[in-house]
Amino acid sequence: MYCLETSNLIHRYSNREIALDGVNMHVPAGSIYGFLGPNGAGKTTTLRLLLGLLKRQQGNISIFGRTFEQHRVEILASVGSMIENPSSYDHLTASENLSVLQRIHRCPTPRIPEVLALVGLSGTQRKKVRQFSLGMKQRLGIAMALLHRPKFLILDEPTNGLDANGMVEIRQLLVRLSREDGITILLSSHLLAEIEKLATHVGIIGDGRMRFEGTMTQLRQQQQTTASLHVRTTNDQRALKIMAGIGMAGVVDENGIVLPAMADDRMAAMNRQLIDAGVDVYSLSSRGHDLESIYLAMVGYAA
Ligand code: ADP
């Protein structure tokens, strides 16, 4: 069951340049879904469309199994969001900011200290938002998004501009919300390291298109399947034939022979065969692609 599903979302801004070029997104209920992509890839545009902050041009959006346009009010009542910079009144305290929203949402007053505690802002008392650090503002943004007890939380770059401590705190908070309250979380980030640490599922967007979507485990599997073994010998063509004879298909590039990664014992056996056949081996090296380079290749940067 998907909490959110989009099909073929296409969006053009007024300059006619295509910002989203057919985005298909599937956020499973109960997941922490990391929406990952470099700046300008289309994350904010997608999130704004999901919340009806931008007018949908083409494609479909369904949240909790319902079409967004037809059930907008009910859907938004169960969704909490923080898009771009959290918007709060600078001259008010955290608690006063939440009071403004509490009246709009008509939720009980005790919910205010509850969300303040949840995001670690209970101690701010009379401090005005103007005097808040970026991290505190970010946490207030999350508290505002959580006030009406949403089942689905959509956060655009929630750790943007935070220091390492701030990032850890937000991450821990999100994991807790997911585990303890069963809230489905969709968060965007341009940092793989951020997403990797907390997401169960990931969608990678590059140039307005979804380049990968799956579980974090499936993304890590890509890492293994793209790993390779590089062999340099005195006679690469002859070595290729010997390798083919023992069922190993390699190709020659400018640095020698490239083969799919293999277990150590197979690598040692192949080395022995080559030497026995009179081909000397200069080097054998395994190259695993790290997740970062796989990600960069997916979004169109050379790895
Ligand atoms: P991300 O959130 O991944 O950084 P955005 O969704 O903000 O990406 O941007 C996607 C593309 O749309 C970019 O090329 C960006 O320049 C363009 N874009 C974003 N907002 C506007 C706008 N208001 N008007 C015109 N182009 C925009």
Side-chain angles (χ1 to χ4, degrees):
M1 157 68 178
Y2 294 119
C3 182
L4 163 83
E5 203 175 350
T6 76
S7 64
N8 203 30
L9 270 190
I10 295 178
H11 194 83
R12 279 191 176 84
Y13 284 102
S14 49
N15 55 10
R16 308 303 296 163
E17 220 172 276
I18 200 150
L20 298 184
D21 191 7
V23 171
N24 297 307
M25 191 178 211
H26 305 84
V27 178
S31 64
I32 300 183
Y33 184 105
F35 191 27
L36 180 66
N39 288 333
K43 302 180 298 295
T44 305
T45 305
T46 307
L47 300 186
R48 292 179 73 92
L49 280 169
L50 299 182
L51 293 161
L53 299 170
L54 270 181
K55 194 168 158 31
R56 184 179 61 96
Q57 297 170 347
Q58 230 176 302
N60 293 307
I61 301 168
S62 108
I63 301 184
F64 309 125
R66 295 172 179 172
T67 327
F68 184 76
E69 273 90 1
Q70 275 144 16
H71 302 271
R72 188 188 171 106
V73 176
E74 306 104 273
I75 288 175
L76 290 180
S78 304
V79 175
S81 65
M82 183 175 77
I83 302 292
E84 287 161 323
N85 297 321
S87 48
S88 45
Y89 297 107
D90 263 11
H91 61 287
L92 301 181
T93 65
S95 176
E96 285 162 351
N97 266 287
L98 287 163
S99 291
V100 174
L101 269 187
Q102 178 244 333
R103 272 171 247 148
I104 296 171
H105 289 310
R106 300 206 181 102
C107 43
T109 318
R111 180 68 181 151
I112 296 176
E114 204 174 290
V115 287
L116 283 174
L118 209 56
V119 301
L121 285 179
S122 299
T124 58
Q125 280 122 11
R126 306 242 39 86
K127 204 175 214 181
K128 308 265 194 255
V129 169
R130 188 186 305 128
Q131 300 158 283
F132 276 20
S133 69
L134 193 58
M136 290 165 79
K137 282 187 185 163
Q138 212 79 344
R139 281 187 275 159
L140 174 59
I142 297 178
M144 291 163 90
L146 286 172
L147 191 68
H148 60 300
R149 297 185 185 280
K151 289 188 281 188
F152 184 24
L153 196 57
I154 299 180
L155 305 171
D156 190 18
E157 300 264 3
T159 56
N160 218 5
L162 299 189
D163 58 15
N165 266 343
M167 283 188 179
V168 173
E169 280 175 22
I170 300 278
R171 210 183 298 140
Q172 284 169 344
L173 168 66
L174 297 182
V175 170
R176 208 165 67 229
L177 288 170
S178 162
R179 283 209 194 121
E180 292 173 15
D181 303 318
I183 300 180
T184 305
I185 300 172
L186 163 58
L187 80 155
S188 73
S189 176
H190 62 283
L191 298 173
L192 170 68
E194 263 306 286
I195 294 298
E196 207 189 340
K197 289 192 185 97
L198 82 163
T200 55
H201 292 72
V202 62
I204 297 181
I205 187 170
D207 279 335
R209 279 171 180 263
M210 202 63 113
R211 305 289 167 173
F212 174 88
E213 196 183 43
T215 61
M216 259 329 285
T217 314
Q218 284 166 335
L219 181 63
R220 291 206 177 90
Q221 275 162 3
Q222 300 258 327
Q223 199 175 356
Q224 280 152 20
T225 52
T226 56
S228 55
L229 175 68
H230 295 244
V231 187
R232 289 173 51 244
T233 71
T234 44
N235 186 341
D236 289 346
Q237 290 307 324
R238 200 164 136 64
L240 270 184
K241 286 204 184 98
I242 296 163
M243 289 168 180
I246 51 172
M248 293 171 179
V251 291
V252 177
D253 75 3
E254 68 277 12
N255 300 315
I257 301 170
V258 186
L259 297 142
M262 62 183 76
D264 285 351
D265 55 343
R266 287 197 76 201
M267 192 160 61
M270 179 185 73
N271 187 32
R272 201 176 317 113
Q273 294 257 357
L274 291 173
I275 292 165
D276 288 350
V279 178
D280 284 343
V281 176
Y282 296 137
S283 71
L284 275 170
S285 58
S286 296
R287 283 186 212 164
H289 281 297
D290 58 24
L291 219 46
E292 188 75 27
S293 51
I294 291 172
Y295 159 56
L296 291 175
M298 279 177 180
V299 295
Y301 292 99

